[in-house]
Amino acid sequence: MAYREFVRGWLTLAAMLATAPAFAADPPEWSMPAEPFRIADNLYYVGTQGLSAYLIVSRDGAILLDGTLDRNAALIERNIRRVGVPLNRVRLIVSNHAHDDHVGAIARIKRDTGARFLASVADRWALEHGTSQSDVTYRPRSYPPVKVDRIVGDGEVVRLGEVALTAHLTPGHTPGCTSWSMVARDAGKLRRVLFPCSITVAGNRLIGNRGYPGIVADFRRTFARLAAMRADIVLPGHPEAADVIERGRRRRAGQADAFVDPALLPRMVTEQRAAFEAELAQAKPR
């Protein structure tokens, strides 16, 4: 299934990053242009073929969730304009977590739009220094630092016009990993939408992690929390993890419920909890 294939791909990439120059190791689809498309009435995909960025539109402006790599900033801005939103209508930017492939372009997009950037306190240091806190098995990659204008807490609701976006702290992948949820109207129906922060280990050291000593406990709390949540539509930071782009094609072809998959979130959690425990069992101190 798609999510399992995504995880295998991430593990392969982590191994490549450990020995190769960071830029050369990136999958080409991470910077490959993608046609933007509508997911629900006020929700759009504006990312690349391999990295997600989502735009939520309200009567008072728009919220951008994630920005992908630094070199993709112009692609993301172009896609925002192509769905009919001028850059100066982007009022808020939020992110899932402080890794270069999701926040690298945010500093430039923030400058070009004048938007305010919101993030959790545990990722603030990494975001404002442009580097990772956790000890990892691959070569860490830097990105343009971005100033956090406002800290969001667990359960806090970010409002813009009629949009209400709720923050759920789900640490593990990074200390400040934040999943976001909202209710979107989709062709007359209300859908529970979740933008989950990654729950893959993805090269984090689970034993002896001096930069993130609480990583194991955080992962386990996050698995329990997400297992108790429900979502009709799941939109991750890597589109292949939920066939987001393929679902977009099916939606454009006339399948109204192409994004609706209530079984996807529990399947993700079950698979990744098992993968985490297996990796933890094999982990060794540094």
Side-chain angles (χ1 to χ4, degrees):
M1 63 184 60
Y3 195 69
R4 201 170 288 137
E5 293 169 358
F6 157 69
V7 172
R8 283 199 294 267
W10 224 112
L11 292 173
T12 301
L13 176 62
M16 293 170 64
L17 286 171
T19 57
F23 188 92
D26 286 344
E29 58 269 22
W30 281 15
S31 293
M32 192 178 296
E35 186 77 18
F37 54 85
R38 187 192 300 269
I39 297 168
D41 287 7
N42 67 332
L43 174 58
Y44 297 85
Y45 185 87
V46 294
T48 67
Q49 291 285 345
L51 292 172
S52 302
Y54 301 100
L55 192 72
I56 307 161
V57 181
S58 83
R59 60 175 175 262
D60 292 338
I63 302 172
L64 177 67
L65 198 160
D66 278 351
T68 82
L69 292 162
D70 178 23
R71 63 181 179 271
N72 293 343
L75 293 177
I76 305 305
E77 292 180 351
R78 183 183 67 188
N79 280 350
I80 291 170
R81 292 192 295 263
R82 288 180 70 185
V83 298
V85 177
L87 290 184
N88 63 6
R89 291 288 290 169
V90 179
R91 300 295 169 78
L92 299 175
I93 302 173
V94 299
S95 72
N96 278 145
H97 64 278
H99 280 162
D100 71 297
D101 51 334
H102 301 284
V103 299
I106 287 180
R108 176 174 163 182
I109 296 173
K110 181 176 186 284
R111 181 199 69 198
D112 292 347
T113 61
R116 300 178 69 223
F117 179 49
L118 284 57
S120 64
V121 67
D123 267 359
R124 182 175 192 167
W125 185 92
L127 291 162
E128 294 189 341
H129 288 78
T131 189
S132 177
Q133 293 170 263
S134 180
D135 297 337
V136 292
T137 58
Y138 56 88
R139 189 178 304 160
R141 312 195 309 179
S142 62
Y143 52 88
V146 54
K147 181 182 183 300
V148 176
D149 297 302
R150 183 179 133 202
I151 294 296
V152 292
D154 191 30
E156 184 172 344
V157 179
V158 174
R159 298 184 185 276
L160 185 67
E162 69 280 18
V163 171
L165 192 62
T166 302
H168 308 270
L169 298 189
T170 49
H173 192 75
T174 68
C177 222
T178 305
S179 299
W180 298 88
S181 68
M182 64 178 286
V183 174
R185 189 170 294 279
D186 179 22
K189 297 181 179 180
L190 296 180
R191 306 292 193 190
R192 297 167 298 183
V193 180
L194 180 69
F195 307 89
C197 191
S198 177
I199 48 176
T200 62
V201 174
N204 277 296
R205 294 190 182 276
L206 298 178
I207 302 296
N209 192 322
R210 290 168 293 187
Y212 188 4
I215 188 170
V216 169
D218 276 356
F219 260 119
R220 285 178 167 156
R221 280 191 292 266
T222 286
F223 289 132
R225 182 170 199 184
L226 289 175
M229 296 179 70
R230 300 291 178 265
D232 302 307
I233 297 174
V234 179
L235 300 173
H238 289 265
E240 70 271 24
D243 286 332
V244 174
I245 291 179
E246 174 57 29
R247 290 174 191 267
R249 292 191 187 101
R250 298 204 303 262
R251 175 66 182 264
R252 292 194 297 273
Q255 184 181 338
D257 63 350
F259 286 97
V260 178
D261 188 355
L264 180 56
L265 179 62
R267 187 164 67 242
M268 284 180 167
V269 174
T270 297
E271 291 180 2
Q272 280 313 299
R273 195 194 319 241
F276 166 81
E277 293 295 348
E279 192 160 340
L280 178 61
Q282 297 178 11
K284 298 178 181 179
R286 295 185 64 181

